[in-house]
Amino acid sequence: MNNFQYSRAADVADAIRLLAANPGARLIAGGTNLIDLMKENVERPSRLIDISRLPLRKVEETADGGLRIGALVPNSDLAYHPLIEQRYPLLASAILAGASAQLRNMASVGGNLMQRTRCAYFYDTATPCNKRNPGTGCSALDGLNRNHAILGTSASCIATNPSDMSVALAALGALVHIARPSGERTIALTDFHRLPGDTPHVDVNLGAGEIIIAIELPPLGFAQNYSYLKIRDRLSYAFALVSVAAALELEGNAITQARIALGGVAHKPWRSLEAEAALRGQAATVDHFSHAADLLLAGATARAHNGFKIELARRAIVRTLTQAADATPQSQSHKKIA
Amino acid sequence: MNAYVGTPTSRVDGRAKVTGTAKYAGEFPADGLVHGFVVEATIPCGRIARLDTSAALNVNGVLDVLTHANRPPLADNDEAWKDEVAPEKGSPFRPLYDDTIKFNGQPIALVVAEDWETAKFAATLVRVEYEPSGFATDLEGERGSAAETDEPPKPRGDAAAALARAAVRHEADYVIPTEHHNPMELFATTAVWDGGGKLTVYDKTQGVQNVHKFLCGVFDKKPSDIRVISPYVGGAFGSGLRPQHQVVLATLAALALKRSVRVVLTRQQMYGLGYRPMTIERVGLGAKSDGTLEAVTHEAIAVTSRYEDFARNDTGWAEQLYSSPNSRFSHKLVHLDVSTPCDMRAPGAASGVCALECAMDELAVALKIDPIDLRLNCYSDRDQSENLPYTSKQLRECYARGAEAFGWSRRNPAPRSMHDGNELVGWGMATGVWEALQMPVAVRIVLTSNGHAEVSCAASDIGTGTYTIVAQVAADALGLPIENISVRLADSTLPQAPVEGGSWMAASSAHAVLAAAEDVRKELLSLAGKMPGSPLADAELADTVLIDGSIARAADNSRAVSIADAMRHGNIERIAKEKVNQFDEDKKHARNTHSAVFAEVKIDEQLGVIRVTRIVSAVAAGRILNTKTGRSQIMGGVVWGIGMALHEETVMDHRFGRIMNANIAEYHIPVNADVHDIDVIFVDEPDAHINKLGVKGLGEIGIVGVPAAIANAVYHATGKRIRRFPITLDKLLG
Ligand SMILES: Cc1cc2nc3c(=O)[nH]c(=O)nc-3n(C[C@H](O)[C@H](O)[C@H](O)COP(=O)(O)OP(=O)(O)OC[C@H]3O[C@@H](n4cnc5c(N)ncnc54)[C@H](O)[C@@H]3O)c2cc1C
Ligand code: SF4
């Protein structure tokens, strides 16, 4: 870990000012990802700007019937918030599928969106990695890539985004509110995370001096027919090999709205508007779910060790959609898959 | 007189541990304490061309950076570096000795600073240039260079020929990956400078006297110059048997700086210590069509370092378990550019028996007989390698009791025949076996006239419960309430003990306590017998007992003299006796513990997600001294077995020779969600031969057999035979 300066931001404007004045500075919220990366010398910030006490901890109803969630709301508070439990249970479920109770107590919404890949080479400064050290090469391409991406990869990087929360947010069509020196802007969550392309060191569309202040959920919460299914190497406390957030609106057995987002398979939560459109107006049957899975996974490619993910994702998509249609969402405490 | 032995007595150190008053090696304070942080090599093989410490030295608060170039003297001969547990063949690793790099993660410098954070920061500023050499770290890639080591059990008959002509034959490779111990407590040493070149060394270790002798040799010190203390150990599982890097580095720095120094390894750095070596286990079984064995062959190919030959008995276990007229065993090593492996819970057996028991299951399938029937068909009442009977062997009873508790008779033998909703249900079983060893251990008892006793011994309690069983046995032998017994362990100045390992400490220390207590009783008898009108006048030692704070006639406890009266009469305040346990290693018996393990798995048919929903482990291990700590030992072993079956694997990128999951977020062990019902059954196993109390030890038997039982259950559930561990869901998808 390097030596760093520390300042506590007085308010959002102060945090933005401090960011602008200190190139190489990093915001710190819960610290559960940043500090780990600092211990590994992957992150070497010149200064930590502590935003953990800023007043961004509210969950408020918006005029149009949605919700606005402050960037510093702890993950566990959000998962157990009555409005989230009632109206956006998919989000609650995805959050509870992630990390451990202790980590969720510390982790913030903003930090969760910003968490970096768990690619082992990214963490090991003794190995080449384009994301950590642009231009050095990607060790995962021909190395240990069992956990790596099958969709949207590039020749520079095949890392995945590890967040569970973001997968649900992508399915729910969340917006990200960002404060910056010249005011505020809003961006769709699906546009917030990037594909690696030839700039894998840039994970997200967030400019210098910009801070996430809130996320916004649109009114439609899919509270009846949803499920978040996370497949991992042990039954809890592991990152996803594949995860699926599924949300349906049904009229009888007919699908009127469908959202599907995948985790663990790409550099960002993966959605396919085409797959969702194909389900609209169709009966909620395994055949239609399989067809949607094919569309979602169109173009999936594997390296030496992650080929299993393609078939696993296909099956997981069908199962999650079935759970959603049957209104039997996956429990995050009982690990038997319904 | 067994108020405590055999009962579920709670840990005597439990309160200290859960309230945080129990101090571990990295927690002892010292005046002027400074902190060392280790800099590690990032290549697996080569030499250090240049080591630039100037930037680190310029950091405020940094006191020194020790390297091979500026360190104080270290012993220059292998004898000094060979600890009690070192492999016979080889030249032990010497931290900061010279510029050669032998493995990735090797310590190459120690930054010492006023505080730990400063040392850690400055460590990032140490610049190293290497002259790398070619290297190899991949066992499977280098399998061709495997060379025979040591002597496994001698062959009997002609196994190759018998296998070739067997009516039913099964032969396969089973691959067990490298695994790391990951004890909760980090490896740490606090070396306290006592002045004049003397040190008190608080170390995380399984053997204080082993570390003591080692440090005296390595640093050329008199025994009285160094004292090693390790009162509590937060798990070690074999990783603390040999003195580790941190104790050398802390001692080195304390001598160099003439100050107290603490070195705590990080979790990541602990992956540079020892590990369970990856092995390829090739097992061949030949049977007659009636389901009796004709031939057993077992060849293990294991990793070791370039500088030491570490090998354990992976292959001989069939000699204990299954009668077969022909057998052949071989153990081969492949030397790679990695650190030396070390013992890890049930070394050899955990891996070798896993392969053997998977193979037995495959043979039962080929023979179309129940896996328990196959094992009963070839049940061996003798250790065939030495042709000896056992001191006791209630394995038959383990099969019967375990099967009954599990409900084995309701099993449909056909794979994929049992369902529960989307899940396939599988039931599998396996046998476990381990040794029942004893070692010489000395115990001192100091009895004071107020009826309190201090029992002391240099042995460690690595979390297994040594404090508690020593207190139980002493309380019973001295006829005192357990609250009146205080136990002191793990100080190199205390009576002699070997490292705590091999499951030998319970039996050994208990009998040393009995021996010392007998001497105490002898002295009490001579005092009491001399009292005027003594009810014990002319009593023989053998006819007396210590009970309720008195020495009494065994036949009539009312004819007694209280300890206080006897000692007052003799005008003494304390009786101190030290004794070594006597045990008869007659060459007429084999000594083993056994188990039968039953596992239920439920596997999502489409997604491959595996749940181990039930384990029944029926254990025969002689007399159980403490049914509570004993049960907890077995449960811990079972949980580890679940990890070995499904989760644990140290993953290396052989292009870099680097471990890529050196942390417990990515190195998976079972979490609570992975652990369901565990039923531990202790089968009665009276043993009149092994020792007076009939105790065998429980530390390792709990893990043996568990991975195979789970793998066999996975086969039964899915019809897929996974021979490469761990069994992760991708292996079931295809
Ligand atoms: C062992 C372990 C297991 C885990 N398992 C899972 C899992 O299964 N699923 C999962 O989803 N996650 C998992 N996590 C990750 C966890 O969810 C993240 O670490 C956490 O959400 C990060 O939040 P934080 O507030 O602690 O972020 P910090 O560590 O404080 O910050 C992370 C990054 O976000 C930036 N940042 C923080 N707030 C803002 C803001 N408002 N605006 C702009 N930038 C900001 C920081 O500068 C930093 O770069 C795991 C973590 C650990 C350590
Ligand atoms: S996949 Fe991405 S993060 Fe991983 S090594 Fe390649 S470039 Fe680095």
Side-chain angles (χ1 to χ4, degrees):
Chain A
M1 190 181 281
N2 64 319
N3 254 342
F4 55 85
Q5 305 293 313
Y6 171 87
S7 1
R8 185 179 293 163
D11 50 31
V12 171
D14 187 33
I16 292 172
R17 216 168 22 247
L18 284 163
L19 269 181
N22 296 283
R26 284 279 184 279
L27 302 175
I28 181 161
T32 60
N33 190 219
L34 183 61
I35 303 244
D36 272 3
L37 291 167
M38 288 169 67
K39 287 198 227 164
E40 301 289 345
N41 294 306
V42 175
E43 291 276 11
R44 303 171 62 84
S46 58
R47 175 180 297 268
L48 288 186
I49 303 167
D50 185 353
I51 57 168
S52 64
R53 293 171 206 221
L54 296 187
L56 300 171
R57 289 184 173 249
K58 286 210 199 89
V59 178
E60 298 161 300
E61 298 192 68
T62 57
D64 68 353
L67 281 187
R68 185 181 162 107
I69 300 158
L72 289 168
V73 175
N75 285 187
S76 19
D77 288 14
L78 188 58
Y80 294 118
H81 194 285
L83 288 174
I84 299 294
E85 284 183 328
Q86 285 155 27
R87 287 165 50 184
Y88 304 95
L90 174 63
L91 177 58
S93 184
I95 292 171
L96 294 178
S100 65
Q102 294 89 336
L103 283 158
R104 294 192 298 264
N105 288 341
M106 287 300 290
S108 66
V109 163
N112 194 320
L113 288 186
M114 295 291 291
Q115 66 173 296
R116 309 209 66 189
T117 185
R118 309 303 289 200
C119 172
Y121 302 102
F122 177 67
Y123 268 79
D124 182 357
T125 54
T127 59
C129 166
N130 285 329
K131 186 183 280 299
R132 176 171 33 74
N133 207 348
T136 52
C138 171
S139 296
L141 278 179
D142 298 314
L144 301 166
N145 49 33
R146 179 172 175 273
N147 297 336
H148 285 71
I150 51 172
L151 287 161
T153 57
S154 75
S156 310
C157 179
I158 55 171
T160 60
N161 180 306
S163 170
D164 289 296
M165 185 187 81
S166 298
V167 182
L169 289 177
L172 291 168
L175 303 174
V176 184
H177 291 285
I178 294 167
R180 51 176 169 172
S182 55
E184 287 189 17
R185 69 181 177 103
T186 301
I187 178 174
L189 183 116
T190 45
D191 296 329
F192 181 70
H193 297 100
R194 296 159 54 104
L195 289 180
D198 51 15
T199 54
H201 57 291
V202 191
D203 289 350
V204 292
N205 288 313
L206 191 73
E210 292 193 324
I211 295 182
I212 302 168
I213 48 171
I215 50 175
E216 185 181 329
L217 296 173
L220 184 54
F222 298 92
Q224 300 306 316
N225 295 98
Y226 73 93
S227 185
Y228 187 75
L229 179 60
K230 179 177 183 183
I231 312 290
R232 48 193 145 177
D233 276 327
R234 61 184 168 194
L235 295 176
S236 183
Y237 204 13
F239 291 94
L241 294 166
V242 166
S243 71
V244 186
L248 299 173
E249 286 268 294
L250 297 174
E251 260 170 33
N253 193 36
I255 299 167
T256 56
Q257 278 258 40
R259 303 277 181 76
I260 314 160
L262 306 181
V265 295
H267 204 253
K268 59 185 289 188
W270 193 260
R271 268 181 71 177
S272 154
L273 299 182
E274 200 190 338
E276 293 169 12
L279 282 175
R280 231 169 284 139
Q282 302 291 341
T285 62
V286 165
D287 282 351
H288 291 129
F289 297 158
S290 302
H291 181 59
D294 289 341
L295 292 172
L296 263 154
L297 294 166
T301 54
R303 306 295 302 183
H305 307 295
N306 61 352
F308 75 97
K309 279 192 176 186
I310 300 177
E311 183 57 25
L312 180 63
R314 192 184 311 280
R315 296 179 190 185
I317 292 164
V318 173
R319 182 70 68 82
T320 318
L321 282 164
T322 306
Q323 291 177 330
D326 294 350
T328 54
Q330 177 60 40
S331 160
Q332 301 305 345
S333 48
H334 186 352
K335 304 297 175 179
K336 177 172 177 162
I337 299 176
Chain B
M1 286 152 303
N2 280 339
Y4 300 102
V5 167
T7 68
T9 303
S10 291
R11 286 172 189 271
V12 295
D13 52 340
R15 192 184 177 81
K17 281 185 170 170
V18 299
T19 55
T21 56
K23 272 207 180 63
Y24 293 81
E27 298 179 330
F28 284 87
D31 287 341
L33 181 70
V34 296
H35 299 263
F37 194 87
V38 178
V39 180
E40 303 151 80
T42 55
I43 63 164
C45 187
R47 55 174 290 274
I48 301 168
R50 216 168 68 88
L51 226 165
D52 178 1
T53 60
S54 53
L57 284 166
N58 279 337
V59 174
N60 227 340
V62 170
L63 302 167
D64 204 351
V65 180
L66 294 167
T67 70
H68 67 277
N70 67 356
R71 61 164 173 81
L74 289 167
D76 61 2
N77 62 89
D78 285 341
E79 275 327 294
W81 289 92
K82 273 195 181 173
D83 68 281
E84 192 178 295
V85 192
E88 255 167 59
K89 244 165 85 189
S91 166
F93 171 65
R94 307 171 184 178
L96 305 195
Y97 191 76
D98 58 23
D99 63 0
T100 51
I101 304 290
K102 299 178 153 129
F103 56 93
N104 234 316
Q106 169 180 330
I108 53 173
L110 185 77
V111 180
V112 189
E114 296 286 353
D115 57 69
W116 191 78
E117 289 75 12
T118 304
K120 186 169 183 179
F121 163 56
T124 66
L125 304 179
V126 173
R127 294 279 157 266
V128 193
E129 282 168 32
Y130 300 103
E131 243 169 53
S133 317
F135 63 90
T137 57
D138 180 10
L139 176 70
E140 288 176 296
E142 305 297 314
R143 183 176 180 162
S145 73
E148 201 77 43
T149 178
D150 288 349
E151 311 95 56
K154 282 188 205 62
R156 289 181 297 105
D158 184 345
L163 192 60
R165 61 164 191 264
V168 179
R169 181 171 54 236
H170 166 71
E171 227 178 332
D173 281 358
Y174 300 85
V175 180
I176 317 279
T178 290
E179 297 165 1
H180 277 79
H181 311 70
N182 283 304
M184 184 99 83
E185 182 199 11
L186 300 173
F187 270 87
T189 303
T190 306
V192 178
W193 177 253
D194 295 329
K198 295 193 176 199
L199 293 172
T200 304
V201 178
Y202 297 92
D203 185 36
K204 175 192 174 78
T205 175
Q206 294 177 238
V208 284
Q209 290 180 334
N210 185 30
V211 171
H212 177 257
K213 182 160 177 285
F214 172 83
L215 291 178
C216 289
V218 165
F219 293 100
D220 192 22
K221 289 281 177 192
K222 295 201 296 290
S224 58
D225 288 342
I226 292 185
R227 177 176 176 192
V228 181
I229 302 178
S230 180
Y232 296 102
V233 178
F237 315 109
S239 61
L241 286 172
R242 299 186 68 182
Q244 295 293 4
H245 314 332
Q246 90 289 340
V247 74
V248 177
L249 297 172
T251 307
L252 188 73
L255 292 172
L257 275 73
K258 300 191 169 34
R259 284 184 77 162
S260 300
V261 178
R262 174 174 302 156
V263 176
V264 181
L265 299 186
T266 64
R267 177 66 58 191
Q268 285 78 350
Q269 288 170 343
M270 279 164 54
Y271 285 77
L273 306 178
Y275 50 89
R276 192 193 298 286
M278 180 176 178
T279 50
I280 303 165
E281 310 266 351
R282 183 157 191 81
V283 181
L285 300 171
K288 292 194 198 146
S289 38
D290 68 356
T292 56
L293 279 175
E294 274 293 291
V296 177
T297 63
H298 190 161
E299 176 193 73
I301 302 178
V303 175
T304 192
S305 66
R306 295 253 186 238
Y307 52 91
E308 280 174 316
D309 281 12
F310 174 89
R312 287 293 178 263
N313 174 22
D314 280 49
T315 63
W317 299 100
E319 294 292 82
Q320 319 288 327
L321 293 176
Y322 305 125
S323 69
S324 161
N326 303 287
S327 65
R328 182 171 49 75
F329 305 95
S330 106
H331 195 103
K332 293 179 177 165
L333 291 179
V334 176
H335 294 88
L336 298 173
D337 298 289
V338 292
S339 63
T340 306
C342 73
D343 290 306
M344 178 158 151
R345 208 168 194 175
S351 314
V353 174
C354 175
L356 173 66
E357 289 300 294
C358 288
M360 284 294 280
D361 199 67
E362 299 205 45
L363 183 67
V365 170
L367 285 161
K368 298 191 177 59
I369 61 175
D370 185 273
I372 301 181
D373 291 341
L374 172 62
R375 287 163 173 88
L376 291 173
N377 285 349
C378 46
Y379 193 89
S380 178
D381 283 310
R382 300 179 84 80
D383 171 346
Q384 298 162 96
S385 63
E386 307 290 340
N387 193 21
L388 294 175
Y390 293 93
T391 58
S392 60
K393 180 174 178 177
Q394 291 296 325
L395 176 57
R396 260 200 195 93
E397 193 64 14
C398 294
Y399 292 133
R401 295 273 312 276
E404 191 186 334
F406 189 79
W408 185 258
S409 60
R410 296 193 302 276
R411 178 179 186 259
N412 179 340
R416 305 180 67 86
S417 61
M418 293 163 63
H419 294 263
D420 175 8
N422 290 326
E423 291 178 316
L424 294 164
V425 178
W427 288 3
M429 60 81 57
T431 314
V433 54
W434 184 249
E435 298 161 332
L437 298 170
Q438 298 177 77
M439 300 286 270
V441 170
V443 159
R444 179 162 60 235
I445 296 180
V446 178
L447 177 69
T448 38
S449 56
N450 60 3
H452 284 252
E454 185 186 82
V455 185
S456 56
C457 171
S460 301
D461 182 338
I462 56 173
T464 44
T466 310
Y467 278 107
T468 308
I469 55 168
V470 165
Q472 287 176 278
V473 175
D476 281 353
L478 297 171
L480 296 173
I482 201 164
E483 297 74 28
N484 287 16
I485 309 291
S486 57
V487 181
R488 279 182 63 206
L489 297 177
D491 177 332
S492 60
T493 61
L494 294 175
Q496 179 277 328
V499 292
E500 167 131 342
S503 302
W504 58 57
M505 197 52 86
S508 309
S509 60
H511 288 85
V513 171
L514 288 186
E518 184 172 285
D519 276 11
V520 170
R521 183 157 52 93
K522 195 170 177 181
E523 175 145 354
L524 280 170
L525 178 61
S526 89
L527 296 173
K530 286 183 205 131
M531 288 166 69
S534 171
L536 297 172
D538 347 303
E540 295 291 327
L541 181 63
D543 300 333
T544 62
V545 290
L546 294 176
I547 185 164
D548 292 339
S550 299
I551 177 160
R553 287 190 184 262
D556 177 1
N557 290 350
S558 71
R559 300 179 66 190
V561 175
S562 77
I563 290 174
D565 285 349
M567 286 172 75
R568 191 174 329 111
H569 180 78
N571 208 13
I572 56 170
E573 262 303 302
R574 52 205 291 281
I575 297 175
K577 296 291 173 193
E578 184 173 326
K579 242 342 209 301
V580 178
N581 57 320
Q582 301 295 321
F583 53 95
D584 185 16
E585 290 273 88
D586 69 16
K587 295 272 185 272
K588 297 189 207 102
H589 290 96
R591 298 166 176 74
N592 289 88
T593 55
H594 297 90
S595 67
V597 186
F598 296 80
E600 175 182 86
V601 300
K602 294 192 175 176
I603 301 176
D604 189 282
E605 187 166 2
Q606 273 146 32
L607 301 170
V609 174
I610 309 170
R611 302 187 303 135
V612 180
T613 43
R614 280 196 302 142
I615 298 269
V616 173
S617 175
V619 179
R623 156 99 59 101
I624 307 306
L625 285 168
N626 184 326
T627 47
K628 189 175 188 179
T629 54
R631 184 166 179 276
S632 142
Q633 276 301 302
I634 300 300
M635 283 180 63
V638 167
V639 171
W640 203 328
I642 295 173
M644 203 170 162
L646 305 183
H647 307 124
E648 291 201 44
E649 178 174 20
T650 303
V651 179
M652 192 177 259
D653 185 324
H654 298 298
R655 297 170 303 170
F656 307 113
R658 283 181 74 74
I659 293 170
M660 296 309 298
N661 61 343
N663 63 75
I664 46 177
E666 311 294 338
Y667 181 103
H668 287 167
I669 58 170
V671 293
N672 282 325
D674 296 296
V675 181
H676 296 245
D677 283 355
I678 299 175
D679 185 6
V680 178
I681 298 168
F682 287 121
V683 169
D684 260 349
E685 191 176 58
D687 191 322
H689 301 287
I690 191 143
N691 51 41
K692 202 161 160 187
L693 292 173
V695 176
K696 286 180 168 178
L698 275 178
E700 344 222 3
I701 183 69
I703 186 176
V704 187
V706 179
I710 293 171
N712 296 340
V714 168
Y715 168 76
H716 181 235
T718 62
K720 290 206 173 79
R721 195 55 85 169
I722 309 303
R723 303 195 184 97
R724 177 177 284 268
F725 289 83
I727 305 171
T728 48
L729 59 87
D730 48 319
K731 297 175 186 172
L732 296 176
L733 282 181

